[in-house]
Amino acid sequence: MRYDSRMDTILYRDTRGLDPMPRSFTDTVLAGIAPGGGLYVPERLPSLLLADILSLARLPYAQRAARIYRAFAVDVHPEQVDALMDAAYGPAFNDERIAPVVAVGADIHVLELWHGPTSAFKDMALQCMPLFFSEAISMRRGAGEALDDYLVLVATSGDTGKAALEGFADRPNTRIAVFYPADGVSDVQRKQMVTQRGENVAVFGVHGNFDDCQNAVKAAFADKDFASRLHGSHRTQLSSANSINWGRLLPQIVYYASAYADMVASGAVVAGDPIDVCVPTGNFGNILAGYYAKRIGVPIDRLLCASNENNVLTDFIATGAYDISARAFTTTPSPSMDILVSSNLERLLFELTLDPDAVRAWQASLERDRRFVIDRGTFALMREHFSGDWVSNDESLEVIRRVWNEHGYLLDPHTSVAWEVAERLRGENPVLVVSTAHWAKFGADVFRALRDLPYTATLPEREAALGGVALLAEVAEMAAGASPVPAGLAGLDELSERFATVVAAGRDSVEKTVEGWLADSR
Ligand SMILES: *Cc1c(COP(=O)(O)O)cnc(C)c1O
């Protein structure tokens, strides 16, 4: 039965004002993006009392998450929310605190979001969202709707694919197929994916780079014939799991409230006093969740947006002009932040203006001219909350070495960007640096950092000859006392590779591959 949570359910509208219907939480999870290309945002926000936030410190993380979902009045029965959160935030994490706050040095606090099964912060959302996805389908079937199964189709440059596989593996009513560029992922990233367990998963390499891979998958999504063949022959509908899904954003609001409660409990901040948070930013999902946390009552003062050499957001926050018309994409040691169009920024623009017409005009301008400029009022509002800065490739590696030498704490190249920006922009408030990956996900660049090599240096012959996993063992020896290589990475070479197929790039090839897999696995 569909849960009728009385009148207080929070419904969702889209940022461009093009979906005529307000949607429930589970509707937004299944839909992902709104018709017309807008993103779903809550019609109103809950407001939490300080005492509610502080009381989270006494609860296990799963119950903290359930409390926040309850505050957002999601249309899933509260007991079921509890059960799903217990399933999401349990033994799959290698720290029972799930998202612990660690004091590093005297006055910086690090929120470690990488204790999940794939050692990157995407797990915080992707261990949770697929459970609600399956639940949304079974709620609708229980209510008598004849709903297809869903096939989640992912093009990945590395981290998202693995986190999505791990999240959807063996979830009822769903399958997941991941396509990765055969020439474009690291040894460790490839092994993480092709050793994936689960009966409902498949992983395919694509001849080409990430662009080839992404274009082929996008074209398959856009092909109506493909959709009707999947429905007709396999009772299956396509879906995506990318970070514009509200179901990925809500779990990220949880850890800001959780972290504040922990900081008060440990004496790092006086109850009610503000903190600043500094977030290594790509698609703007993580920092946006921090903004929503502030709006619902978590005492956050400034949101510090940290970028790498792809620094379009730094310029936007400084000037109000989002301009990629003359901007080339740069590769960096923090690939998960290598992005030109930060999709979730659209949600912030809506929240600041509550004006779907303005949002639509800016997005149209971005598509047409590769730039848009916000008005002075919206700019001033944004500046009340956000500051930004960026860090060069070589400096991000220098920061890893410096923090290791000074504090004995080993950062990954994404978190090091945030660390540096936090040091530059911080004021009087205690700072929470959001750490998005375990160092071992980026072993080669951490090796360069510890050896004082620039980002562009080729590895010494000996290290270049090592497999990715062996290199991690060597880095761990150089940095004795750092957080050890997570079991999921250290044990990769012992797992057997289940998925060896590499297919041609292009829409038809991807479609044929998916249909072949569905036919074989019936
Ligand atoms: C995805 C990712 C980011 C960027 O997060 P957004 O929500 O896209 O801004 C930063 N660091 C790591 C390690 C990531 O995987």
Side-chain angles (χ1 to χ4, degrees):
M1 271 266 298
R2 195 166 312 184
Y3 172 60
D4 171 18
S5 60
R6 299 166 301 274
M7 272 117 57
D8 58 356
T9 299
I10 292 180
L11 296 174
Y12 293 79
R13 295 276 182 179
D14 81 283
T15 48
R16 301 187 192 180
L18 296 174
D19 184 351
M21 286 265 291
R23 304 285 175 176
S24 71
F25 169 73
T26 55
D27 284 340
T28 72
V29 171
L30 288 179
I33 197 158
L39 309 185
Y40 288 110
V41 285
E43 268 187 335
R44 62 185 172 81
L45 290 169
S47 88
L48 302 182
L49 301 173
L50 182 62
D52 294 338
I53 295 164
L54 300 182
S55 71
L56 297 178
R58 294 189 295 272
L59 301 174
Y61 190 87
Q63 286 177 38
R64 300 181 190 192
R67 286 278 174 94
I68 300 296
Y69 271 53
R70 201 163 303 169
F72 273 85
V74 298
D75 59 323
V76 177
H77 197 287
E79 278 172 25
Q80 188 62 3
V81 172
D82 287 344
L84 296 179
M85 290 306 182
D86 282 342
Y89 300 115
F93 285 73
N94 66 13
D95 187 309
E96 62 181 12
R97 296 167 298 173
I98 308 296
V101 177
V102 177
V104 180
D107 50 3
I108 290 197
H109 303 269
V110 176
L111 173 58
E112 295 182 344
L113 298 180
W114 37 257
H115 289 283
T118 79
S119 306
F121 104 100
K122 302 281 189 300
D123 288 332
M124 296 302 302
L126 280 167
Q127 283 295 296
C128 175
M129 179 271 213
L131 299 172
F132 284 86
F133 197 96
S134 295
E135 178 70 16
I137 298 169
S138 74
M139 278 163 56
R140 279 156 185 72
R141 291 211 176 126
E145 284 178 48
L147 213 63
D148 283 356
D149 275 352
Y150 278 77
L151 169 64
V152 176
L153 198 56
V154 182
T156 185
S157 56
D159 285 354
T160 302
K162 176 60 183 179
L165 283 164
E166 200 53 52
F168 278 97
D170 292 331
R171 300 292 177 227
N173 315 321
T174 64
R175 291 168 183 278
I176 176 166
V178 169
F179 290 85
Y180 69 90
D183 314 333
V185 300
S186 74
D187 181 45
V188 167
Q189 284 177 317
R190 189 190 62 82
K191 281 183 181 149
Q192 274 193 301
M193 289 189 278
V194 301
T195 57
Q196 176 64 44
R197 72 189 167 82
E199 292 309 307
N200 63 339
V201 310
V203 179
F204 304 99
V206 172
H207 288 296
N209 59 27
F210 177 57
D211 254 356
D212 301 323
C213 185
Q214 173 149 297
N215 290 338
V217 168
K218 271 194 182 158
F221 265 111
D223 180 0
K224 296 217 164 63
D225 279 347
F226 181 48
S228 67
R229 293 200 304 274
L230 291 181
H231 172 70
S233 310
H234 305 286
R235 295 277 160 243
T236 292
Q237 180 172 337
L238 284 184
S239 183
S240 99
N242 64 25
S243 78
I244 48 99
N245 192 307
W246 177 260
R248 278 186 60 177
L249 213 57
L250 188 50
Q252 297 183 234
I253 297 173
V254 174
Y255 49 71
Y256 289 99
S258 165
Y260 185 83
D262 283 339
M263 285 178 74
V264 171
S266 74
V269 62
V270 175
D273 281 2
I275 61 169
D276 294 341
V277 301
C278 186
V279 186
T281 296
N283 215 15
F284 210 76
N286 199 355
I287 195 167
L288 182 74
Y291 167 79
Y292 277 117
K294 177 176 183 175
R295 292 277 311 272
I296 69 173
V298 180
I300 293 171
D301 182 7
R302 302 212 61 76
L303 295 143
L304 310 178
C305 178
S307 299
N308 62 23
E309 293 192 2
N310 293 295
N311 54 7
V312 59
L313 284 168
T314 311
D315 289 348
F316 177 65
I317 292 168
T319 66
Y322 195 97
D323 191 344
I324 53 172
S325 62
R327 208 174 263 273
F329 181 91
T330 316
T331 55
T332 72
S334 39
S336 299
M337 298 155 68
D338 288 345
I339 203 158
L340 288 177
V341 177
S342 292
S343 319
N344 269 301
L345 186 62
E346 180 169 343
R347 282 195 168 102
L348 177 67
L349 296 175
F350 179 85
E351 295 294 351
L352 296 176
T353 59
L354 299 177
D355 181 354
D357 298 334
V359 172
R360 217 166 49 238
W362 290 327
Q363 294 302 326
S365 163
L366 182 62
E367 257 181 39
R368 198 180 52 236
D369 307 329
R370 311 287 288 161
R371 70 192 298 270
F372 65 86
V373 183
I374 57 175
D375 59 279
R376 291 173 68 102
T378 307
F379 179 62
L381 276 177
M382 176 173 72
R383 301 278 301 183
E384 280 178 21
H385 304 283
F386 290 88
S387 309
D389 205 350
W390 67 280
V391 177
S392 75
N393 288 349
D394 286 339
E395 189 167 18
S396 70
L397 298 190
E398 284 160 29
V399 170
I400 294 176
R401 190 177 65 255
R402 190 179 80 224
V403 172
W404 170 248
N405 287 338
E406 285 176 13
H407 303 293
Y409 187 84
L410 195 54
L411 301 170
D412 91 283
H414 302 73
T415 310
S416 74
V417 166
W419 180 286
E420 173 62 22
V421 169
E423 287 201 328
R424 285 188 211 157
L425 298 186
R426 64 173 312 175
E428 298 293 300
N429 299 328
V431 185
L432 184 68
V433 169
V434 176
S435 177
T436 50
H438 190 280
W439 66 263
K441 282 218 82 158
F442 302 95
D445 282 320
V446 173
F447 175 86
R448 288 186 180 88
L450 294 175
R451 279 284 176 87
D452 204 359
L453 297 170
Y455 168 58
T456 49
T458 46
L459 291 179
E461 221 170 285
R462 210 186 84 76
E463 282 74 24
L466 293 175
V469 176
L471 180 60
L472 295 184
E474 176 160 326
V475 178
E477 239 169 71
M478 291 164 71
S483 169
V485 179
L489 297 175
L492 273 179
D493 284 345
E494 277 90 75
L495 299 176
S496 59
E497 301 197 0
R498 296 178 62 198
F499 304 101
T501 311
V502 178
V503 303
R507 184 195 76 177
D508 294 349
S509 164
V510 162
E511 293 181 355
K512 210 173 100 214
T513 304
V514 166
E515 289 177 274
W517 173 53
L518 289 176
D520 284 350
S521 57
R522 270 217 286 207

